Amino acid sequence: MTPEFAAPLFEPERLAVLLALSFFFGLAFEEYFARSRIKPPGGVRTFPLVSLAGALLYALEPKNGVLLLGGMLILGAWLAIYYYERLVHQHAETDDEELVHGPSKLDAGIMAPVCNLLAFLLGPVTLAAPLWVAVGIAVVAVLLMSARERLHSFAATLRAGEIVTLGKFLIIIGIVLPLVPDTPVTSLTAITPYQVWLAVVAVSSLSYASYLMQRFIAPNHGVLISAALGGLYSSTATTVVLSRRTRDMKTAAPRLQAAIVLATAIMFLRILTVVAIFSTDLALVLLPAIAILCPLGLVLCFALMWGARGTSDPATEVAVPTNPLELSTALVFAALFIALSIAVAWAKTRFGESGLFALGALAGFTDVDPFVLNLAQGARQGGNLTVAASAILVAASANNFLKASYTLAFAGRTKGLKPALALFVLALTGVAAAASILGWL
């Protein structure tokens, strides 16, 4: 019986895309191994042929893929023999070099076999999958090869434990979140374990993204950018770091003073973002106040810079804070979130919705995020948006009072007075905005 090709697979545009992608992949392969002492199999001629072979074997028997599997096994066996011979050859060369130059490192990379297998599989993928899949695979492979030096340099800059921290982040969002139940487990609060951990994921993701930007980008771009990213990470921690740095300077550093205020200005954007994730309606009620507070913080920041123009201001950088994604930190946040959830429910029952303001003021002196997230989730379930927005502003204002106190304590009265006054102004403005939302002004 004569085998028949699957006609729809061999559309002219698919064949053209396959030849173009395999040729493109081969060019990148040639460039990657241009400085290699051993010319590996593959390149601008080999890869198109290998890709065509994979496409033909798949087209001859597309249902079960037996021919394709056989071809891949044959290619894999041949590549294994090549790889073994390469190791033997390099061992011999290494032994000779060590006799003359001392110990050397053996290059046992498997890029050539992997690229050949990928070129082979590119054929059936181009025929069977949407074309963007084949294009994406080829482009990613080429980018990974072309970015060899940059990727190795990036890996060298990683601190000890960075990969472990990334693993913890993946555990938080990819393992724990899908497993926790989405039903209340106690009558003390309507918050479910899923909602608690979703709040942990939201804040951890924002903090971790800010940390990564501050860790790998901001240290080379000045104190103001570091402070802005620190405001997304933790404005309180950033204020303490900047205040201590200000105290250590021989003279007042206007950029450091301005950066303290900038971190708090950005904090308002962080609050609005976190609220919008869980309740768009509450974010819209909060938006006018944030639209005043954030620009006011930026104006005060600019005023501190402008008032000190012409004076010396040593170039300074902000130390990157401790990584926020320790599992213990996530568990503490979850516990605080649950405690505040119970406290919010109790305050509403015992004192009415006005009790949220006192609770918000207390939360501002601990951690604003759990309180804000509790109110955001409550608003999604039908809570009073006006009261929730006002309580959030009260909590943020209390936190600004706390940061102003930290600034005076850590930077000293002389160097910390100006940024502390700016933070007091933001705190008082936040209280006024809360009163305005409630119709008290």
Side-chain angles (χ1 to χ4, degrees), residues 21-174:
L21 291 178
S22 57
F23 183 78
F24 171 59
F25 192 16
L27 284 176
F29 184 86
E30 296 266 9
E31 180 185 5
Y32 180 86
F33 286 101
R35 295 184 297 273
S36 176
R37 292 179 299 175
I38 302 175
K39 178 64 177 72
V44 292
R45 293 182 303 168
T46 305
F47 278 7
L49 292 174
V50 170
S51 297
L52 282 174
L56 288 170
L57 290 174
Y58 173 74
L60 284 169
E61 208 280 303
K63 185 176 181 180
N64 298 316
V66 176
L67 292 178
L68 178 65
L69 180 60
M72 189 164 60
L73 290 175
I74 294 173
L75 178 62
W78 179 79
L79 291 171
I81 295 172
Y82 155 76
Y83 188 66
Y84 174 77
E85 292 296 330
R86 177 184 177 187
L87 289 180
V88 171
H89 179 76
Q90 287 191 344
H91 269 297
E93 285 191 348
T94 301
D95 292 339
D96 294 338
E97 289 180 1
E98 287 180 351
L99 292 175
V100 180
H101 303 290
S104 60
K105 185 177 180 181
L106 179 66
D107 176 19
I110 60 170
M111 283 296 295
V114 169
C115 288
N116 276 270
L117 285 174
L118 190 59
F120 179 79
L121 293 174
L122 192 62
V125 168
T126 305
L127 296 186
L131 290 179
W132 66 265
V133 176
V135 174
I137 291 173
V139 169
V140 169
V142 169
L143 290 178
L144 288 175
M145 283 196 296
S146 302
R148 173 177 54 180
E149 288 79 8
R150 280 173 289 182
L151 289 175
H152 285 306
S153 298
F154 172 74
T157 63
L158 292 177
R159 294 174 176 173
E162 290 280 1
I163 300 301
V164 175
T165 300
L166 178 58
K168 293 175 182 178
F169 179 64
L170 296 177
I171 290 174
I172 289 174
I173 65 173

Side-chain angles (χ1 to χ4, degrees), residues 258-275:
I260 292 173
V261 181
L262 178 61
T264 294
I266 300 301
M267 176 201 72
F268 292 113
L269 294 180
R270 170 189 171 90
I271 290 175
L272 185 64
T273 301
V274 169
V275 170

Side-chain angles (χ1 to χ4, degrees), residues 399-425:
N399 187 251
N400 287 339
F401 278 118
L402 177 66
K403 287 181 289 189
S405 303
Y406 281 160
T407 302
L408 290 173
F410 290 109
R413 183 179 302 177
T414 302
K415 299 177 183 178
L417 181 60
K418 290 182 179 179
L421 288 175
L423 293 176
F424 276 124
V425 169

Side-chain angles (χ1 to χ4, degrees), residues 195-259:
Q195 291 172 331
V196 172
W197 204 254
L198 185 62
V200 173
V201 168
V203 174
S204 296
S205 300
L206 187 61
S207 298
Y208 190 46
S210 174
Y211 165 80
L212 291 177
M213 293 180 66
Q214 193 173 5
R215 168 76 175 85
F216 296 106
I217 300 175
N220 299 322
H221 292 79
V223 66
L224 292 178
I225 294 180
S226 296
L229 294 174
L232 291 175
Y233 168 87
S234 171
S235 60
T236 304
T238 304
T239 298
V240 172
V241 171
L242 291 169
S243 298
R244 287 175 174 169
R245 188 63 60 85
T246 301
R247 178 194 59 196
D248 295 337
M249 304 300 295
K250 293 182 179 180
T251 59
R255 282 190 179 86
L256 284 173
Q257 294 175 329

